[in-house]
Amino acid sequence: MAEAKYRTPKGTNDVLPEDHQYYTYIKKAVRHRCRQAGFKRIETPTFEKREIFERGIGEHTDIVEKELFLVSSHHSEEGSEEYALRPELTASICRSYIEQGMKQLPQPVELYSIGSCFRHDRPQKGRYREFHQFDLEVIGLTDASLDAQIIHVANKIFADLRIRDRLTMQINNVGTADNRKEYIAALKDFFIGKERNLPELDRKRLDTNPIRLLDSKEEDTQILLKNAPTLDQFIDEDSKAYHKTVLEYLDELGAEYVENPSLVRGLDYYNQTVFEYWDIDTGGKNAVGGGGRYDSLIELLGGQPTPGLGFAGGMERTIWHMKQAGVQAPHKDQIDIFVAQLGPKAKKKCLSLISELRDQGVHTLGALGEASLKSQMRLADKFGAKYTLLLGQMEVKTGTIILRDMALGKQEEIKFEDAVKKVVKLLGPENLDTYTLNDHFEEK
Ligand code: AMP
């Protein structure tokens, strides 16, 4: 590794071109499936008032207690009001739904977003301080068919990326807030006198957010939980019926799932349906995506009571699975033509040639420096160019140019004015990088 004075901050990564191909590929799959399902794209600021996350996600969740990246705006006129970098996208999108009056739109409002999120966690494999999510939200309507449909869209995305069969989709129903209140009381009762046997972290959780004990990774906790009351004993009949309908709809769609009564997710705002995509071999650690229904979040954030449902997938963990599965992200970064030149006249003349080739959709590099033709050819080879066009002093005089096939090592002299046409024909129209303006606007 080269010596560097400055390095990426802990838990962050440079996304280098090789990996960017994966990000682009995932974004394409997400955009495609979202558009098919009527979702529209939204972008919210990377930071928000910290209160939005504290209220929404819950004060005693890991995300808020330990992982919120705080940003203080002490330079601004607003004083020292504190902001936080978004740890996820749902709360921001709900804030926007309220602020922008989206209640006036036909409901449900279906939105998707792709962007970076921040959690100040201890970095480890698959867990970063800056990572990227693709996120789908369906706001304004409760219906079991929406739960099944959002899961189906997520399934399609993972299938398109060819990793669906590496994952299981775990699903549960966590009932209403009242159901969970009663359950929490029962759980606390059960643990009276047993606190000492809990690992320290879980002892704290028993105090602040007991329901999180259910997905504790601690063995001691899991052993104790074997005799504890279970959440499903407290789920009311309506929620059970709702869950049954969601599962029926998933069956109808041919969507595979694993019922998991211990799945609670790490965020407070969920009610009813929760689901997560787990590694088929290693389970809940480093889940690739997850989501659920959040019917009280918008009200919590100051809006009219409005139901909602969302899903977020993690790009880095998705990429990890794609690589494990040997999925190559297709890319268009190849260099088709290298234009080598010698002498000031040739150099000047080839600038417009390069520009014209690029406009025709040919990936072109050239007019680099003043090195000899031989060393420019070597460079063309290093860049992996398919063809090289050589323009020397002689060719300028005779109005010609030399076209060299790099793989075959063969070359021919052609008329300068025919060069673009010839190259376009050689590459084939299907290999030209042309795009419509619409594609351009969406490519991000
Ligand atoms: P969550 O809502 O916390 O389940 O996050 C949704 C998805 O985002 C997860 O399934 C992961 O794929 C991804 N994710 C969450 N936190 C991190 C992190 N610290 N580093 C990388 N990916 C993450």
Side-chain angles (χ1 to χ4, degrees):
M1 187 92 34
E3 199 181 301
K5 185 173 173 195
Y6 296 112
R7 297 187 173 276
T8 48
K10 197 169 164 191
T12 68
N13 297 293
D14 292 324
V15 180
L16 297 173
E18 303 81 68
D19 265 342
H20 225 285
Q21 292 159 6
Y22 285 88
Y23 284 85
T24 307
Y25 193 50
I26 296 171
K27 282 183 199 173
K28 274 196 178 146
V30 171
R31 284 205 316 255
H32 173 65
R33 289 300 179 184
C34 283
R35 263 200 309 253
Q36 284 184 331
F39 284 75
K40 294 191 178 144
R41 189 156 172 183
I42 183 171
E43 206 108 8
T44 57
T46 320
F47 63 98
E48 301 265 358
K49 283 204 178 135
R50 60 187 281 191
E51 213 179 304
I52 288 170
F53 305 119
E54 286 167 345
R55 296 199 128 210
I57 297 167
E59 278 176 66
H60 296 299
T61 56
D62 284 354
I63 294 182
V64 167
E65 260 185 354
K66 298 193 300 196
E67 301 172 10
L68 216 51
F69 247 103
L70 298 179
V71 181
S72 168
S73 69
H74 54 275
H75 295 300
S76 82
E77 291 158 6
E78 294 150 49
S80 62
E81 188 171 40
E82 280 204 341
Y83 296 92
L85 299 181
R86 60 185 181 198
E88 49 112 49
L89 295 159
T90 304
S92 306
I93 293 174
C94 288
R95 189 267 311 133
S96 177
Y97 177 93
I98 303 166
E99 184 181 347
Q100 309 300 338
M102 293 189 213
K103 194 134 191 105
Q104 307 310 318
L105 301 173
Q107 308 291 303
V109 174
E110 296 189 329
L111 298 167
Y112 76 103
S113 194
I114 303 172
S116 47
C117 299
F118 305 84
R119 295 185 192 176
H120 198 279
D121 202 358
R122 195 167 55 80
Q124 49 191 290
K125 181 176 158 283
R127 189 171 290 274
Y128 308 107
R129 289 188 171 171
E130 181 178 19
F131 58 99
H132 298 78
Q133 281 191 347
F134 49 96
D135 178 273
L136 281 65
E137 307 291 344
V138 179
I139 307 176
L141 200 68
T142 310
D143 192 283
S145 74
L146 293 174
D147 303 40
Q149 287 189 69
I150 202 171
I151 289 170
H152 195 46
V153 175
N155 279 341
K156 292 271 180 197
I157 292 170
F158 288 130
D160 287 349
L161 299 171
R162 278 163 284 167
I163 61 166
R164 179 64 187 91
D165 56 0
R166 298 179 53 88
L167 310 172
T168 61
M169 200 274 287
Q170 310 277 317
I171 189 166
N172 191 22
N173 185 299
V174 293
T176 64
D178 284 342
N179 296 161
R180 285 199 305 284
K181 222 180 268 166
E182 282 174 35
Y183 174 59
I184 286 166
L187 203 57
K188 281 190 157 168
D189 268 358
F190 170 80
F191 275 103
I192 291 176
K194 302 187 183 70
E195 296 94 334
R196 276 176 301 116
N197 302 325
L198 283 172
E200 197 193 326
L201 177 71
D202 282 344
R203 215 177 309 144
K204 242 189 250 159
R205 277 183 173 155
L206 183 63
D207 239 6
T208 56
N209 194 1
I211 211 153
R212 286 307 311 278
L213 291 179
L214 296 197
D215 58 11
S216 166
K217 309 276 184 294
E218 304 283 349
E219 204 175 326
D220 290 351
T221 310
Q222 286 304 335
I223 290 169
L224 282 170
L225 278 172
K226 288 215 167 90
N227 297 314
T230 54
L231 176 60
D232 56 324
Q233 298 165 331
F234 293 80
I235 303 293
D236 63 89
E237 290 307 314
D238 284 353
S239 302
K240 280 186 180 152
Y242 189 88
H243 189 51
K244 193 162 159 273
T245 313
V246 172
L247 297 187
E248 276 169 17
Y249 290 163
L250 286 173
D251 289 336
E252 182 64 27
L253 288 165
E256 284 176 22
Y257 53 83
V258 178
E259 280 193 84
N260 181 346
S262 309
L263 186 73
V264 288
R265 306 259 304 131
L267 299 78
D268 273 2
Y269 54 56
Y270 288 112
N271 65 301
Q272 303 291 0
T273 308
V274 292
F275 59 99
E276 252 174 28
Y277 288 85
W278 287 9
D279 185 314
I280 204 161
D281 295 324
T282 57
K285 193 169 185 288
N286 284 358
V288 177
R293 185 159 276 295
Y294 50 82
D295 292 337
S296 51
L297 177 58
I298 300 229
E299 197 179 356
L300 253 171
L301 295 176
Q304 303 283 323
T306 310
L309 164 74
F311 162 77
M315 307 260 269
E316 287 73 11
R317 293 183 193 174
T318 300
I319 291 171
W320 184 84
H321 275 281
M322 289 169 72
K323 287 183 175 171
Q324 291 295 307
V327 179
Q328 299 267 343
H331 71 89
K332 296 183 186 159
D333 289 343
Q334 85 287 349
I335 297 296
D336 301 316
I337 303 287
F338 190 95
V339 181
Q341 37 66 43
L342 203 66
K345 274 198 190 134
K347 187 169 182 184
K348 206 166 173 189
K349 204 167 167 198
C350 75
L351 283 177
S352 48
L353 174 65
I354 291 170
S355 165
E356 174 62 9
L357 283 166
R358 288 176 180 168
D359 283 350
Q360 294 293 322
V362 180
H363 293 184
T364 314
L365 265 186
L368 309 178
E370 331 257 277
S372 71
L373 278 179
K374 205 165 176 192
S375 58
Q376 288 186 63
M377 294 279 284
R378 265 202 300 272
L379 195 57
D381 209 37
K382 281 189 190 151
F383 276 117
K386 287 193 200 119
Y387 300 95
T388 304
L389 283 165
L390 292 116
L391 191 65
Q393 280 142 336
M394 190 60 128
E395 288 74 27
V396 173
K397 270 193 202 134
T398 54
T400 56
I401 192 162
I402 293 166
L403 174 66
R404 186 181 173 87
D405 182 319
M406 298 299 282
L408 299 178
K410 281 193 182 151
Q411 59 186 49
E412 59 174 318
E413 194 172 272
I414 57 172
K415 278 195 193 153
F416 183 83
E417 71 235 38
D418 291 343
V420 174
K421 216 166 34 181
K422 175 99 185 171
V423 163
V424 163
K425 199 163 159 218
L426 274 174
L427 289 172
E430 69 282 5
N431 295 316
L432 298 179
D433 191 357
T434 49
Y435 55 84
T436 65
L437 211 50
N438 282 345
D439 288 339
H440 172 72
F441 279 133
E442 275 172 27
E443 201 73 46
K444 213 186 155 192

